[in-house]
Amino acid sequence: QVQLVESGGGLVQAGGSLRLSCAASGTIFSIAAMGWYRQGPGKQRELVATISTIGTTNYKDFVKGRFTISRDNTKNTVYLQMNSLKPEDTALYCCNAGVRTIAASTYHDCWGQGNQVTVSS
């Protein structure tokens, strides 16, 4: 069984910064792409950023230049550094990873529990 445990959310003023972390644990054989999604109040969940196993990153336009995704493969952890935060960034942020367990031959999607980020104006 695999768990993704997130940390680092909270309340911050507009223009401030937060760093989210998401650590995978369990009987992990390998992890493929990892990413961050968010769901704002009254909105659908949307992709924020992804990172491949070799560090190739992709960002949605609304966070380009402000957010940075990174990963530490030795710790099975993905990070999201969020700078210049705006009130519209307020959302529940969830991490996602494609994980292959020791007992499995294929990868499956794993999700974190979600971490609230609130940006005040």
Side-chain angles (χ1 to χ4, degrees):
Q1 191 170 352
V2 175
Q3 280 188 316
L4 300 185
V5 179
E6 302 170 14
S7 61
L11 173 64
V12 65
Q13 286 189 330
S17 299
L18 284 174
R19 188 191 193 211
L20 302 180
S21 300
C22 173
S25 63
T27 55
I28 298 170
F29 180 78
S30 67
I31 301 177
M34 306 181 83
W36 289 94
Y37 290 73
R38 72 184 188 185
Q39 185 167 14
K43 297 181 180 179
Q44 291 189 330
R45 185 174 65 190
E46 59 185 358
L47 176 65
V48 175
T50 61
I51 185 167
S52 72
T53 53
I54 60 172
T56 302
T57 58
N58 280 287
Y59 298 92
K60 299 300 284 186
D61 286 346
F62 52 78
V63 301
K64 279 183 180 178
R66 301 189 298 123
F67 290 11
T68 302
I69 188 171
S70 60
R71 65 189 285 173
D72 184 337
N73 291 332
T74 65
K75 297 180 180 179
N76 291 332
T77 299
V78 63
Y79 306 95
L80 186 68
Q81 177 66 44
M82 303 182 292
N83 299 328
S84 302
L85 282 160
K86 305 174 182 179
E88 51 263 44
D89 293 320
T90 295
L92 184 71
Y93 285 73
C94 296
C95 63
N96 169 266
V99 179
R100 178 183 170 186
T101 60
I102 293 173
S105 58
T106 59
Y107 289 84
H108 63 278
D109 259 352
C110 291
W111 291 89
Q113 80 282 5
N115 219 347
Q116 181 66 35
V117 170
T118 302
V119 184
S120 63
S121 57

